[in-house]
Amino acid sequence: MIRQIVAFVENQKGVIRQMTSGLREAGISICGLSTVDSPEFGIVRMIVDDPEAALEKLTETGFVAKECEVIAVRMESPEDMEAVLSVIENGNVNINYFYSSFGKDGCRPILILNAADMDETEAMLQNHGFLCMDSCA
């Protein structure tokens, strides 16, 4: 599994850029990012190369943030996303959310997911030959 940073942000112009610029200036690379918004606030989910430093930087600059684990599955072909979802469905596991990202090599996509039973889901995917990553490096 891989560590993900989740930050709650006000839905205002420039807030996400402020967040990402602060992380970049602190030397933290963002490997994946997903946003969900509502009229008043948003949720930003990020995969970064240094989760501890990112969490510290975000909280010291006033963002409400936490850390959690997600599964990061490396996609080797365009068909892999459908295959991953099929394995999960056949295993009767509920997916809470997922999004895609790119690894540091910039070539192969990575499917980031959170499921009802993370350990069982990761083991199931590995048993079907999928590479589950432990960092974005």
Side-chain angles (χ1 to χ4, degrees), residues 1-52:
M1 279 182 248
I2 193 169
R3 293 161 50 202
Q4 171 185 257
I5 301 298
V6 181
F8 300 92
V9 298
E10 288 186 70
N11 195 356
Q12 294 181 357
K13 182 178 176 182
V15 172
I16 293 176
R17 190 211 45 81
Q18 176 188 0
M19 175 187 293
T20 59
S21 293
L23 293 174
R24 182 183 43 78
E25 289 166 6
I28 299 164
S29 295
I30 299 171
C31 308
L33 186 134
S34 171
T35 63
V36 179
D37 73 335
S38 71
E40 292 148 14
F41 71 94
I43 299 172
V44 178
R45 293 184 172 104
M46 291 181 278
I47 304 298
V48 297
D49 63 350
D50 189 343
E52 291 163 2

Side-chain angles (χ1 to χ4, degrees), residues 64-81:
V64 175
K66 68 176 189 170
E67 184 181 338
C68 66
E69 288 189 324
V70 291
I71 300 169
V73 185
R74 182 173 208 96
M75 303 283 104
E76 297 296 332
S77 73
E79 296 80 22
D80 278 356
M81 183 174 70

